[in-house]
Amino acid sequence: MKRNIVIAVVTAAALVGGGTATALAVSGDDAPTTRATENRAADDDGRDDDRGRADADDQDDDGDDRDDSDDRVASSGDVTAADAIAAALKHTPGTAVSAELDDRVWEVDVLGGGDTWHSVRIDPGSGKVLGASKDDEDDADEVRAALKGASVTAGEAAKAAAAEGTVTSVDLDDDDDKGWEAETRASGGDERDWRVDPSSGSVTADRDDDGGDSDDD
């Protein structure tokens, strides 16, 4: 009786699978293992492998998207570098020394009283303050010396450089060449470095940036 049941099950599996199923083993009350069952299991494994490869491809694509995310945020124009600086100073009074779009967030460094520095994070979509941290550095005197006699603020430097492209960062150069440094990105994706005169606000191409081009001539 059990043998007849096994034959009926094997025959049904062959009809459903569209092929011939051969019983491999029958013992006691255990259900038979068929080649049709093995084929279906292999097909399922293949589909799982395909899903795994697809998920890996999606993760790679997401990684590339994250690399370009700062550029897309900067190009959206919702909150410019100048806007971010203004929002940071409203939250934390002082002197803005730099602003940079990093990891899809504007980070503005503000020099407060004494040697106290503040790093203020600004949402690039809404302009809201996401948070702020305080730190003590020993270069406050150097920064103040570099700003002595300057009439152009970081925000004004960012606005001036915006005429050359989308500003992704503005920073104070407190070395030999005093002034503001700005980086812009054009609509085509090209990055350029600029210098903004701390007295007049005039924008000129960074000499180091041009120097790299002239060496090729």
Side-chain angles (χ1 to χ4, degrees), residues 29-54:
D29 294 333
D30 293 339
T33 300
T34 67
R35 295 192 184 279
T37 303
E38 289 180 345
N39 291 339
R40 286 197 297 273
D43 291 342
D44 290 341
D45 289 342
R47 285 193 293 271
D48 290 340
D49 291 343
D50 290 341
R51 283 195 295 270
R53 286 193 293 270

Side-chain angles (χ1 to χ4, degrees), residues 18 38 83 101 132 147 185:
E38 289 180 345
D83 294 335
L101 187 61
L147 289 171
R185 182 175 291 274

